[in-house]
Amino acid sequence: MDLRLSAETLRQERLRRAWSQEQLAEVSGLSLRTVQRLEQTGHASFESARSLAAVFAVDVEQLRAPAPRPQRAVRRPAFAALGATLVACLGLALATTGVTEPVLLDFDVARTNAASGEEVRHIGRIQTERGSPAEVEVEGHLRLVVTPVVEEDGRVRLFTKLYELVDGAYVLLAKPELTTEFDEEAEILIGVDGGKVYRLELTPQEV
């Protein structure tokens, strides 16, 4: 079961107790990466939400993000509604295969210097459609391109390209292909010249 928590509420509850993210991860039994992702996106499994609610001594509902306010319906003249219906039917008839299904991609990119052990991370979320590439720039020096393809058995193949900015131009580092399922994390390590190692984690989510 998937929940949408309020990232701001999570941060406030943690700061009220003067806890670091590492301390919250320790007392809740979650990984540090999970805590960081939750405070970034608010996207959580029911088990993670229940663990946080337990350590904060609150109900899970108190941590959930508020539901979006419904928009008021706008009354239109009958002929306008009829015209919109005809256009919609015509579009459906002309492009029955054009129905798109959005996919959310939680990403976690970390760069580690093998010599010093220093790590730089960036966590975020992008949205695209099945079979369509999504592109995001990370920390001004990386470019991540991901194309999710959903197989008939429900597995998700992630065709990925990772670029690094070198001398003002993006250079392709790797083109890993990952296979996972919705709500399941896929991870790969990419070693490059200069003693740097990139860790890429992707978690596809249905909308």
Side-chain angles (χ1 to χ4, degrees), residues 74-134:
V74 178
R75 299 191 63 181
R76 296 180 296 172
F79 67 85
L82 177 60
T85 301
L86 291 175
V87 170
C89 292
L90 179 61
L92 182 62
L94 293 177
T96 56
T97 61
V99 178
T100 59
E101 296 184 69
V103 176
L104 292 176
L105 292 167
D106 289 336
F107 66 88
D108 185 345
V109 181
R111 181 186 64 188
T112 303
N113 188 306
S116 64
E118 179 184 4
E119 182 181 78
V120 179
R121 298 182 61 205
H122 186 82
I123 301 172
R125 168 175 286 185
I126 48 180
Q127 179 170 328
T128 185
E129 296 167 354
R130 300 186 183 195
S132 298

Side-chain angles (χ1 to χ4, degrees), residues 110-194:
R111 181 186 64 188
T112 303
N113 188 306
S116 64
E118 179 184 4
E119 182 181 78
V120 179
R121 298 182 61 205
H122 186 82
I123 301 172
R125 168 175 286 185
I126 48 180
Q127 179 170 328
T128 185
E129 296 167 354
R130 300 186 183 195
S132 298
E135 180 176 321
V136 63
E137 290 196 6
V138 181
E139 297 294 338
H141 68 275
L142 290 176
R143 176 176 293 165
L144 176 64
V145 181
V146 185
T147 303
V149 175
V150 182
E151 304 288 352
E152 292 184 358
D153 60 4
R155 293 186 303 168
V156 184
R157 297 175 66 188
L158 302 172
F159 296 89
T160 307
K161 295 180 181 180
L162 185 64
Y163 298 84
E164 184 178 37
L165 189 63
V166 179
D167 297 329
Y170 279 104
V171 177
L172 180 64
L173 296 178
K175 298 196 300 181
E177 179 183 328
L178 309 177
T179 301
T180 183
E181 298 180 0
F182 282 112
D183 302 322
E184 294 292 333
E185 182 181 276
E187 178 179 352
I188 191 171
L189 294 177
I190 304 169
V192 299
D193 295 338

Side-chain angles (χ1 to χ4, degrees), residues 36-56:
Q36 291 171 330
R37 185 170 64 244
L38 289 175
E39 290 195 2
Q40 181 83 13
T41 67
H43 187 79
S45 66
F46 180 74
E47 291 73 17
S48 296
R50 187 169 55 183
S51 297
L52 291 174
V55 298
F56 290 148

